[in-house]
Amino acid sequence: MVVKNKRPFGFYVCCISFMLERMAYYSAKFLIYVFVAATVATGGLGLTKVEAALIQSNLVAFTYLAPIIGGVISDRYIGARYCVPVGLALMAVGYFLGGSATSAAGMTLMVVLVSVGTGLFKGNVSAINGSLFTDESQLDSAFSTQYSFVNIGSFIGTTAIGVLVTSTFAQGEVQGFRPAFQLCGLICAIDALWFLFGIRFLGEAGKKPFKAGKHIEKNVETEVKPLTKIEKKRVFAIVLVSLFSVIFWVFWYLTYLAAYDYGEQFINMMIGGFEVPLSWFDSLNALVCIALGPVLGALWFKMSQSPKGDMSLFKKLAIGLAFLGLSFLMLVFAELSRGGDANAKASIIWLLLFGILLSLGEMFFSPLGNSFVTKYAPNKLYSVLMGVWIFATFIAGKSYGYVYAIASNYPILVSYVVIPAILFVTAVLLFALDKKLVKLIEGETADEAEEKSVEVAC
């Protein structure tokens, strides 16, 4: 039987909501640093760059930590669909307060509200999207497409906000930081209204706490039972994959420091008579992810319908790690092309290849984690484990600066050969463990088989 890759409208409600939230988030992430460090005369707070970096890093870190708390709430107490608009409302208030802040304390309050709001929003909107699909063969495709929407929001946020701050919202020498923060708040407020409008298209998804089940019929109560042996194994598998995620994201974040540091010093950014802004490296990543989302989504679905079936998640993650390793080798080749000449600059082509390969790695890795959690997380821990997957990024975000500090003590060629070597070894390890890991998540114990037969007999 041929299964059509048809998605419910509720899927697009969640995707657009995610896109709008990311648009506001990435705009604010950029704004925090420049606003806090800018002089008072230009509309900023006039604090140090260290204080600005600290506030920005807290926003990044805690918006990846808070989803675990939001997951506990939606798994045990309140349906995820009710957490999402509340989270958006808190973010809206936080961004509006950021627009009126006059001190570091005011910005910290913004970070707190946005972090709590993100905790209620981020993992839960993905959990709702996953529970809209009863056919698991559609999940890898669906989350790859969702990832494209996320990157559309990121792309718009990172490319438009600079223009708005320096021109549209600027008044003389005073930059438009405050109106830009207020715009972020307005986007989240509109997003909350959009989600409330679209909630009618979600069916029963996220209506009750997920402990009652990911896919439940209306007015049907589900008994919550202790975790079975296979469910405990699947929880272990999700935590294990999340550890591999930490490795991936530590080096993924490191690519940006490497690109900006190396690119500024050793890459010729001129194309004809135009100097390409190094900040467009962010936009390249978003554009590649936007383009690849539907393509890879269609590929995963087609493979799932083939006689051989789709390749396992673990192999896909291994390929993602390998692509990330290849991206660092582009800097090695760039360095070799300079021939040891301190004044020579490498071609921008190497930086473009660097960005494309790391984006390929990201698309094989990040969206499929949401799919994996949706497929295998026990009901009572569904949103919590979605938060654990996100929490891995929090650990990486807090760690990559230290890794970069270590790498900076060594010559460029040494660092950018060792890093891909680590990633290649990790990828090979995942490939080698593939059969055991698949057996871990898909096997059924004798006790569970007996339990099912008893339920059927009853």
Side-chain angles (χ1 to χ4, degrees), residues 337-367:
S337 73
R338 295 175 60 240
D341 185 347
N343 297 317
K345 292 203 171 185
S347 169
I348 194 174
I349 294 296
W350 295 115
L351 192 61
L352 291 173
L353 290 172
F354 181 46
I356 291 169
L357 286 168
L358 78 89
S359 301
L360 269 167
E362 180 181 352
M363 287 304 297
F364 269 81
F365 205 97
S366 185

Side-chain angles (χ1 to χ4, degrees), residues 20 185-195:
L20 291 171
L186 180 61
I187 290 171
C188 285
I190 292 171
D191 195 3
L193 294 175
W194 161 255
F195 190 84

Side-chain angles (χ1 to χ4, degrees), residues 14-15 110 219 227 312 348 405:
C14 292
C15 283
M110 185 200 79
N219 298 324
L227 292 179
S312 74
I348 194 174

Side-chain angles (χ1 to χ4, degrees), residues 5 7 137-146 293 297-298 300-301:
N5 192 20
R7 300 178 183 128
S137 68
Q138 292 182 290
L139 287 173
D140 284 3
S141 172
F143 279 113
S144 292
T145 301
Q146 174 184 281
W300 303 147
F301 182 75

Side-chain angles (χ1 to χ4, degrees), residues 40-338:
V40 175
T42 58
L45 292 185
L47 303 179
T48 67
K49 290 184 177 181
V50 172
E51 289 173 298
L54 180 62
I55 295 171
Q56 186 193 58
S57 67
N58 283 336
L59 176 75
V60 174
F62 290 107
T63 51
Y64 283 107
L65 173 64
I68 291 184
I69 300 171
V72 171
I73 293 171
S74 62
D75 279 340
R76 298 185 181 183
Y77 307 110
I78 302 170
R81 65 167 60 184
Y82 308 113
C83 295
V84 169
V86 174
L88 287 167
L90 287 173
M91 284 186 267
V93 173
Y95 291 135
F96 276 118
L97 288 177
S100 59
T102 57
S103 64
M107 295 303 295
T108 300
L109 178 59
M110 185 200 79
V111 169
V112 171
L113 288 171
V114 172
S115 297
V116 174
T118 304
L120 293 172
F121 174 88
K122 194 172 184 181
N124 285 326
V125 78
S126 290
I128 292 169
N129 239 358
S131 63
L132 289 169
F133 296 88
T134 55
D135 178 12
E136 292 186 349
S137 68
Q138 292 182 290
L139 287 173
D140 284 3
S141 172
F143 279 113
S144 292
T145 301
Q146 174 184 281
Y147 208 68
S148 283
F149 277 90
V150 167
N151 278 279
I152 290 171
S154 167
F155 176 75
I156 295 173
T158 54
T159 53
I161 195 67
V163 176
L164 293 173
V165 168
T166 58
S167 59
T168 308
F169 294 153
Q171 295 183 348
E173 293 184 0
V174 178
Q175 302 293 290
F177 302 121
R178 296 183 185 279
F181 273 118
Q182 291 166 1
L183 178 61
C184 293
L186 180 61
I187 290 171
C188 285
I190 292 171
D191 195 3
L193 294 175
W194 161 255
F195 190 84
L196 290 171
F197 162 78
I199 210 166
R200 70 189 76 179
F201 300 105
L202 300 180
E204 298 300 305
K207 202 168 188 178
K208 296 181 179 180
F210 284 118
K211 66 181 181 181
K214 301 185 193 80
H215 313 293
I216 55 176
E217 299 297 327
K218 191 174 183 179
N219 298 324
V220 173
E221 294 294 332
T222 304
E223 181 184 355
V224 180
K225 299 179 180 180
L227 292 179
T228 62
K229 290 182 180 179
I230 187 62
E231 285 178 331
K232 290 177 181 178
K233 289 181 179 179
R234 287 173 175 173
V235 169
F236 173 74
I238 290 170
V239 173
L240 181 63
V241 168
S242 296
L243 293 178
F244 279 98
S245 179
V246 172
I247 296 171
F248 178 88
W249 287 113
V250 163
F251 291 113
W252 187 91
Y253 278 123
L254 198 62
T255 61
Y256 278 79
L257 292 177
Y260 289 133
D261 187 8
Y262 187 85
E264 183 178 9
Q265 298 181 68
F266 305 119
I267 295 289
N268 178 10
M269 300 301 292
M270 298 297 296
I271 297 180
F274 176 70
E275 184 176 1
V276 179
L278 195 55
S279 62
W280 282 11
F281 186 78
D282 277 12
S283 300
L284 172 65
N285 172 245
L287 281 174
V288 174
C289 290
I290 291 167
L292 285 177
V295 174
L296 290 178
L299 176 63
W300 303 147
F301 182 75
K302 184 176 181 180
M303 291 178 66
S304 72
Q305 299 302 305
S306 68
K308 292 184 179 180
D310 197 0
M311 75 171 74
S312 74
L313 170 98
F314 307 107
K315 288 182 178 178
K316 291 176 182 176
L317 299 187
I319 292 172
L321 286 161
F323 271 128
L324 187 59
L326 284 172
S327 72
F328 277 98
L329 288 182
M330 296 305 103
L331 295 185
V332 173
F333 296 147
E335 184 64 11
L336 290 173
S337 73
R338 295 175 60 240

